[in-house]
Amino acid sequence: MAGRVKELYRELVERAHTVTSAAQHEDSTVIQVGNATCENAAGSREVLHEFRKYIAASGKEDRIVLRETGCTGRCSCEPIVGVTRPGQTMVKYQKVDAEATHRIFTQHVLEGHPVPDLLLDAQMGTSPLKLLFCRSRRCADSMQGDYAEMCREKLADAGLDYVVDDIVSANCFGLCRSEMVGRLGHLMVLPDKVVYRLRNEADLDTIIAQHIQGGRIVDTLRIGDEPFSGRFFEMYGDVAFFNRQDRIALRHSGVIDPESLQEYIAEDGYQALAAVLERDDPAWVIEQVSRSRLRGRGGGGYPTGTKWDMARKAQADTKYIICNADEGDPGAFMDRSMLEGDPFSVLEGLTIGGYAIGARKGFFYIRAEYPLAIKRIQHAIDQARLNNLLGPDILGSGFDFDVEIRLGAGAFVCGEETALIHSIEGRRGEPRIRPPYPTESGLWGKPTVINNVETFANIAVVCDYGADWFANIGTAESGGTKVFALAGKVEHTGMVEVPMGMTLREIVFEIGGGVPDGKELKAVQTGGPAGGCLPAKWLDLPVDFRTLGEAGSIMGSGGMIVMDEDDCMVDIAKFFLVFSQDESCGKCTPCREGSRRMLEILERITGGTGTPQDLDNLERLAILMQKSSLCGLGRAAPNPVLSTLREFRDEYLAHVEEQRCPAHRCVALLRFQIDPEKCVGCTACARNCPVLCIQGKAKQVHEIDQSRCIKCGRCVEVCRFSAVDRL
Amino acid sequence: MTHPTPAVTDHWDQVREAAEAVLGDEIVEYIRTAAAQPEPASELISVLHKVQARYGYLDTEHLDAVAQLLQVPAATVSGVATFYHFFRLNKPARYSISVCMGTACYVKGADKVVNRLQEELGIDIGETTSDGLFGLQQARCLGTCGLAPVMMVNDDVLSRVTPEAIPAILDRYAKQSRQDSS
C-alpha cells in the first residue's frame, strides 16, 4: 500500500509539470497581475482587462502569458504587476493604472525596456551589488564570527567597497534543509541572483576575488536548485521589503496561481501529505508538530502538537477537524490573504491534521464577508477531490477524508471555539463553559480540533522540512514565523511575515518604513480588540506570545496597527470597546453589562464630563470583567482599556482634570480658533460653516463664535491657508 | 439528531405549498438536499444565506417558511437570524453603502467619511433615503486595511475614500440607477 502512495503522487507531479511547462514557453514573456480582494479594490481588474486588450491587439497571444496570482502583501503599492521577459528576472511595477499599463506593455513587454518611474520601490534605488548574509540561528551559530562585518573589512582593505552598495544581515533564506551537515552559512549576491554556501573565511575570499572583483560566478560554492532559494528572486522582485522577512506561511502567496492545483504541486505541494500517508504513522506527524514548537496562530498560542495529541488519544468513533477562518479582528487580514493566495496549502494542512488525529471529516468555517476566499477554497476542494487528494482512499492509502465549507454570518464571538462549534451546528454562536474542551467533546459532542488558517498553512512545511528546521527559525518557546497585517500610520502597509522574536522596531521601522510625514510613533496596537497598546518604550521587545503578554498586550491573530501623535489613546480604547460591546453575545452578565458600563464611562471622558473617579471605576470594572466573563471575548475586551490606562494615564488625566485632549482628537474637548496671522479673509470657512457661526468680511480676519460652534471641523477642512487651529 | 420527523400539522400539504411558494424552487430544492444530510439542523445558517442572496434580506415570511421546510422551530430560526450581523431583516436600499469602521480605517478618518455621507444623504446610520436609493451602514473591518479608509457600495470596494470625494461617488451611482431604469 505504502509504495502505491508514492507512485500515485509521482504521477500527479509529472502531470503537474507537463501542464505547467506547457503553459510556459521558454521564449514567452509572462505578465503577472495580482488577483485578491485588496488588489481588486486597488484596481487590478481593470489592469488585467487592459493587458488582455493589448495582448489581443498585438497579435502575440502565443508569446505573452498573462498570469493571475494572489497578493504578496504590498498593500500600499497595489495594484502590482510583474513582467518577466525570457531569460530575465521579474521586474515589478507598483500602483499600476490604465495609463501605466499602456506604458508597461508598449515599452517593456514589447520593446524590452523597463519603465523606471513605475518600478516597485524604485525610490530605494538599485545598487551595483548587494550582499545578503543569512543570519538565521543555524547559519549564525555555525559560522563563528560575524561574516557580514568581516566581509565589509575585506572589501575596504581591497579597495572594493565602491562596488558593493550594501551589506545586509538578512533573515533565514530557508536553505538549511539540505545543508544541515557541517558548519555552513549562506550569502546571497544581488542583483546577480546567486546564493553561495560559506564554509570558512577562505570561501569568502574566493567569492570576493572571483565574483565581486572578477565578475565570474564561483560555481564550486554556488547552491543548486533548492525549493526556496532557486525561486527566491523570481518570487520577490522587491527584495528591499522582503529581505527582513521570512516567508513560510505565505510561501506561495503572490507567487502561484491560487486556482491551479498543478502550479501548487509543481512547487512541491502535497509532497508532505504524500510523505505522511506513505509513512503511515499518525503519531509521527504529531511528534513532528510538537517538536516544531508550532503554536496556534489564531492568537491563543496553544501548542498545536499538544492539541492534536489530545484529540488523537480521545476515544470516539467520529472526530472532526475545523479550520477557523472567521477572521473578525478589525485590522487583520492575514487569513483572507492566505485563503485567497494559497488555498491548497491550507487544505493540505487540514488534511494532514485530519489524518493525524483520526478525523474523516473537516470543515472550513469562513466569514461570509470574504466571497473571493470562499470561492478559492471551494475551487481547491473540488480540484483536490478530482485528483484523489480528498475523498475516499486518498492517494491509495486507505485514508478517507472530506471537507465542507460552512459560512459564518458576521459574529465576532464565533472566533471563540465553542461558539464556532455552535454556529456550525446551525445555532446562535454563543460560547459555553470549558471544560470539556473541544478536543474531548466538540462538534456534535465528538472530539474536535480547531486551528486557525495560518496554523494549517505551516503544517506542510513542518512535515517537509522537518520539525527542527522549523523550531530553529523562531524562539526557544515558539517555532516558526508569524504573519502580521501591518496597517495604520506606517509607510508600507501590508502583510509581513517575520520569525518569532523579531522586535517591534524592526517590523515597524525597517520593514514598515516607519511613521509617515515625520510624525512621532505613539503606540503599536497588537491583538485587535483583545489586545493592548504598546508605547514606544516597548519597541525593542522581541515579539512572541509570552513577551507580548507580559508587556500587557497579546499576540492575537496578527493585526498590528501603528498609531502616531494624532491618535488619542482614550479614543482608541473607546473604539475597541464599542466593537467588543457591540459583539458581546449577551450570554454572560459581566461581559454584557460590564462592556456597556465601561463604554458609558469612556463616552463621558471623551465627551468632556469625566471625573478622576471615573478612572478608578473604569479600572475596577475592567478587572472584574477580565476575571469573571465566560469566554475569551469578555475576558480580553478590557485589555485595550487597561493597557492604555497603564501606559497613557496622563492622557486620561488630561481629559478628566483639564478637559483637554492632547491629541486634539476628542471633538467635544476641542476648540477651533482662527489664527489672525494666517487668515486672509477668503470667506471659505464662513460659507461652509453649517451653523453660520463664523463672522468676518471678505479680506478681513474671521472669527469663530465659540458659543455656537458645533465643532464639526468643516472650517479646518476647507481652509486652504491652515489658518484654523484645533486647540 | 435524526432526519426531520414528518410534520403533524393538520394541513401540512397546504402549509408546505405555501412555504414553497414563498421561497421559490431553487431554495426549496436546496433545503431538500440539506434535509437529507446527516445533521439537517446544522444547515440552517447556509439556508438563510441562500435566502438572503436571492431576496436581498430575510422577511418574516421567509423565516417562517424556512422553519416549516427545515422542520426547525420558528423561534430557533428567528433567534439565529437576529444573532448574526450579516443577516438583514429589512429590505435594503438600491445601493447599500457600508463604510468600514475597522481600526485602520478609523485612524485614517473613516468617521469623517461617514459624517459627510450623513450630511449628503440626510440620513443616519442604519437608515435608507426616502427614494430607496441609498442605505448607510457601518461595516466591520473589511480586511482591506492597506487601502484605508475603505467603503463598499453594494459589491464595489472603494479605496482611500475622502470626504471630498463623496458627492461625486453618490452622483455616479444615482446616474447609474437612472440609466438602469431608463
Side-chain angles (χ1 to χ4, degrees):
Chain A
M1 181 197 79
R4 183 132 177 265
V5 173
K6 218 182 228 173
E7 186 58 32
L8 288 172
Y9 179 66
R10 197 178 308 128
E11 279 172 27
L12 275 180
V13 173
E14 274 162 22
R15 214 164 347 137
H17 281 297
T18 325
V19 173
T20 47
S21 55
Q24 288 170 344
H25 300 288
E26 293 234 322
D27 54 352
S28 58
T29 299
V30 181
I31 305 172
Q32 178 179 309
V33 182
N35 178 3
T37 302
C38 36
E39 288 267 14
N40 295 351
S44 75
R45 300 279 78 194
E46 289 90 315
V47 169
L48 197 71
H49 181 73
E50 290 285 304
F51 273 124
R52 269 207 198 103
K53 250 174 29 196
Y54 291 134
I55 294 173
S58 72
K60 295 190 173 173
E61 282 107 326
D62 54 334
R63 289 293 158 82
I64 302 171
V65 181
L66 191 58
R67 285 182 76 231
E68 294 178 51
T69 63
C71 84
T72 49
R74 297 299 311 270
C75 307
S76 51
C77 302
E78 287 170 351
I80 291 174
V81 166
V83 175
T84 317
R85 301 251 316 159
Q88 292 178 3
T89 336
M90 181 189 293
V91 176
K92 284 193 179 179
Y93 294 103
Q94 65 180 6
K95 295 183 184 162
V96 178
D97 55 12
E99 194 224 322
T101 310
H102 182 248
R103 290 176 60 204
I104 292 168
F105 191 81
T106 47
Q107 290 182 36
H108 191 180
V109 179
L110 295 181
E111 306 287 332
H113 308 302
V115 191
D117 56 311
L118 299 174
L119 288 178
L120 178 57
D121 298 330
Q123 71 279 10
M124 294 186 185
T126 43
S127 60
L129 275 185
K130 192 169 199 164
L131 308 182
L132 281 85
F133 285 85
C134 179
R135 59 129 192 236
S136 75
R137 180 166 327 153
R138 186 178 296 281
C139 282
D141 283 356
S142 59
M143 302 288 292
Q144 283 155 351
D146 183 349
Y147 269 57
E149 196 44 49
M150 200 188 290
C151 181
R152 212 181 301 267
E153 283 164 17
K154 280 181 192 291
L155 287 171
D157 289 348
L160 285 169
D161 31 0
Y162 70 94
V163 187
V164 177
D165 179 75
D166 202 5
I167 298 176
V168 185
S169 289
N171 275 318
C172 180
F173 300 163
L175 306 176
C176 330
R177 186 175 67 138
S178 70
E179 305 278 330
M180 277 191 193
V181 249
R183 296 188 174 283
L184 275 175
H186 291 105
L187 163 65
M188 189 186 290
V189 184
L190 294 175
D192 298 359
K193 301 203 302 174
V194 180
V195 182
Y196 289 117
R197 68 169 70 82
L198 281 178
R199 287 163 307 189
N200 47 42
E201 210 181 318
D203 283 349
L204 185 61
D205 290 335
T206 316
I207 293 165
I208 291 176
Q210 263 200 47
H211 189 151
I212 297 173
Q213 194 165 17
R216 280 169 293 125
I217 291 169
V218 190
D219 281 324
T220 47
L221 297 176
R222 188 182 188 174
I223 287 182
D225 191 30
E226 262 297 308
F228 282 166
S229 70
R231 291 186 51 85
F232 192 91
F233 308 96
E234 281 79 0
M235 283 157 73
Y236 310 119
D238 39 352
V239 175
F241 180 73
F242 287 110
N243 65 19
R244 286 188 175 273
Q245 297 194 41
D246 262 356
R247 291 245 155 175
I248 295 177
L250 294 173
R251 59 198 179 278
H252 297 132
S253 286
V255 180
I256 63 168
D257 176 353
E259 299 193 7
S260 163
L261 175 64
Q262 272 71 35
E263 281 197 23
Y264 180 66
I265 291 178
E267 291 289 324
D268 293 332
Y270 279 106
Q271 180 178 291
L273 178 68
V276 162
L277 294 177
E278 171 84 20
R279 194 179 274 267
D280 196 21
D281 181 8
W284 177 83
V285 179
I286 290 174
E287 200 234 306
Q288 289 295 309
V289 174
S290 298
R291 270 219 339 254
S292 74
R293 297 200 288 266
L294 173 64
R295 283 165 174 267
R297 297 293 193 249
Y302 194 78
T304 307
T306 314
K307 193 188 264 186
W308 287 16
D309 196 37
M310 287 193 290
R312 163 138 204 92
K313 288 180 178 145
Q315 296 295 322
D317 51 345
T318 312
K319 294 177 188 175
Y320 297 105
I321 186 159
I322 300 172
C323 175
N324 182 352
D326 190 45
E327 184 172 58
D329 278 21
F333 50 100
M334 304 76 50
D335 294 351
R336 177 177 62 69
S337 222
M338 272 174 256
L339 296 170
E340 288 178 1
D342 191 15
F344 288 103
S345 77
V346 185
L347 183 58
E348 186 182 359
L350 183 71
T351 312
I352 294 173
Y355 174 77
I357 67 159
R360 283 197 299 274
K361 175 98 188 186
F363 289 92
F364 272 100
Y365 185 81
I366 312 181
R367 292 180 81 183
E369 289 92 331
Y370 286 173
L372 186 61
I374 295 165
K375 182 180 148 231
R376 294 253 159 95
I377 286 291
Q378 187 59 56
H379 180 268
I381 292 173
D382 296 342
Q383 287 297 307
R385 277 197 197 124
L386 283 176
N387 288 279
N388 192 214
L389 294 164
L390 265 188
D393 192 20
I394 294 174
L395 290 175
S397 65
F399 170 55
D400 307 334
F401 186 74
D402 213 337
V403 178
E404 201 180 302
I405 294 181
R406 288 296 169 103
L407 298 189
F412 177 67
V413 70
C414 287
E416 201 278 342
E417 53 184 15
T418 59
L420 187 151
I421 286 172
H422 289 159
S423 183
I424 291 189
E425 289 172 351
R427 295 150 63 185
R428 288 165 72 94
E430 289 171 339
R432 63 159 171 80
I433 288 174
R434 298 178 303 176
Y437 288 92
T439 44
E440 200 182 311
S441 170
L443 192 58
W444 294 301
K446 306 293 183 194
T448 304
V449 159
I450 302 172
N451 279 124
N452 165 266
V453 171
E454 190 184 337
T455 313
F456 284 121
N458 278 308
I459 296 295
V461 184
V462 169
C463 296
D464 258 347
Y465 290 79
D468 296 330
W469 174 82
F470 190 84
N472 262 324
I473 292 171
T475 64
E477 291 167 30
S478 178
T481 57
K482 178 75 194 89
V483 181
F484 290 100
L486 196 57
K489 308 283 178 64
V490 61
E491 200 69 56
H492 307 300
T493 52
M495 297 244 298
V496 168
E497 181 172 356
V498 295
M500 292 284 180
M502 183 178 264
T503 63
L504 284 171
R505 185 185 299 281
E506 284 174 286
I507 298 173
V508 174
F509 286 92
E510 293 186 18
I511 298 175
V515 183
D517 307 327
K519 296 219 167 135
E520 194 79 14
L521 178 137
K522 187 188 261 182
V524 179
Q525 209 279 346
T526 65
C533 292
L534 300 171
K537 71 169 184 195
W538 289 110
L539 273 177
D540 290 307
L541 187 79
V543 174
D544 196 353
F545 292 96
R546 185 176 54 81
T547 51
L548 282 176
E550 285 170 2
S553 186
I554 62 162
M555 174 80 93
S557 60
M560 187 177 278
I561 293 164
V562 181
M563 294 169 188
D564 69 8
E565 53 200 67
D566 295 338
D567 293 310
C568 166
M569 289 297 121
V570 186
D571 188 52
I572 293 292
K574 189 180 87 176
F575 167 80
F576 281 114
L577 209 64
V578 167
F579 180 87
S580 302
Q581 190 268 326
D582 194 31
E583 289 294 346
S584 170
C585 75
K587 184 169 178 175
C588 74
T589 316
C591 175
R592 183 184 65 235
E593 298 300 324
S595 59
R596 174 152 286 276
R597 299 295 158 242
M598 276 168 67
L599 183 57
E600 283 167 4
I601 297 176
L602 282 171
E603 273 166 354
R604 273 208 297 279
I605 297 175
T606 54
T609 56
T611 62
Q613 177 63 37
D614 277 335
L615 301 191
D616 296 336
N617 291 346
L618 198 58
E619 200 160 359
R620 269 180 42 223
L621 255 173
I623 291 167
L624 181 82
M625 196 172 150
Q626 226 176 19
K627 284 184 175 159
S628 56
S629 292
L630 172 63
C631 80
L633 190 153
R635 282 199 294 268
N639 286 352
V641 175
L642 284 172
S643 73
T644 47
L645 260 179
R646 187 171 50 241
E647 306 287 357
F648 299 96
R649 200 170 185 96
D650 51 333
E651 277 192 45
Y652 278 87
L653 287 173
H655 281 75
V656 295
E657 285 175 354
E658 303 163 38
Q659 319 299 319
R660 182 175 65 86
C661 173
H664 306 302
R665 177 88 200 184
C666 296
V667 174
L669 302 177
L670 280 182
R671 201 161 51 87
F672 292 91
Q673 203 172 326
I674 293 172
D675 183 348
E677 302 279 301
K678 289 185 186 159
C679 179
V680 298
C682 74
T683 73
C685 53
R687 280 182 286 117
N688 280 284
C689 176
V691 292
L692 305 171
C693 74
I694 303 179
Q695 309 294 327
K697 294 204 176 76
K699 295 186 182 162
Q700 283 177 15
V701 172
H702 283 49
E703 200 177 346
I704 300 174
D705 178 355
Q706 299 294 339
S707 65
R708 287 194 290 141
C709 174
I710 56 164
K711 297 164 182 174
C712 67
R714 192 87 183 100
C715 47
V716 182
E717 284 167 30
V718 296
C719 182
R720 285 178 291 128
F721 307 95
S722 312
V724 187
D725 293 327
R726 294 158 70 106
L727 299 169
Chain B
M1 235 173 269
T2 55
H3 290 244
T5 45
V8 288
T9 316
D10 285 346
H11 308 289
W12 171 238
D13 284 336
Q14 284 101 306
V15 170
R16 198 195 64 224
E17 272 168 32
E20 289 180 351
V22 166
L23 293 177
D25 290 345
E26 192 195 335
I27 290 163
V28 170
E29 188 50 42
Y30 185 81
I31 294 179
R32 206 165 283 152
T33 327
Q37 299 296 316
E39 299 283 351
S42 79
E43 304 282 346
L44 175 58
I45 294 174
S46 51
V47 170
L48 293 180
H49 272 298
K50 277 269 180 251
V51 176
Q52 179 160 304
R54 170 77 181 71
Y55 296 101
Y57 72 114
L58 304 175
D59 204 350
T60 326
E61 60 171 2
H62 296 140
L63 297 180
D64 286 344
V66 168
Q68 291 293 356
L69 295 183
L70 208 55
Q71 286 292 294
V72 171
T76 308
V77 176
S78 137
V80 167
T82 51
F83 182 83
Y84 294 96
H85 292 287
F86 193 79
F87 295 130
R88 279 190 299 265
L89 303 171
N90 296 309
K91 195 171 174 17
R94 170 90 173 73
Y95 296 107
S96 163
I97 304 175
S98 325
V99 182
C100 175
M101 278 290 164
T103 322
C105 289
Y106 186 75
V107 299
K108 290 243 176 124
D111 50 341
K112 294 203 189 78
V113 172
V114 172
N115 288 345
R116 188 62 186 264
L117 280 165
Q118 287 172 321
E119 221 170 89
E120 295 286 332
L121 296 172
I123 53 171
D124 217 342
I125 291 152
E127 293 180 353
T128 303
T129 50
S130 53
D131 56 1
L133 201 54
F134 293 104
L136 181 59
Q137 282 98 42
Q138 292 186 344
R140 295 269 164 272
C141 182
L142 299 170
T144 321
C145 314
L147 306 170
V150 173
M151 72 181 212
M152 280 181 88
V153 180
N154 288 354
D155 291 336
D156 302 340
V157 180
L158 310 180
S159 57
R160 300 194 178 99
V161 182
T162 58
E164 292 72 40
I166 295 297
I169 294 172
L170 294 177
D171 271 356
R172 203 167 69 223
Y173 284 99
K175 207 174 280 169
Q176 190 183 323
S177 152
R178 281 198 296 275
Q179 275 167 6
D180 290 352
S181 52
S182 64

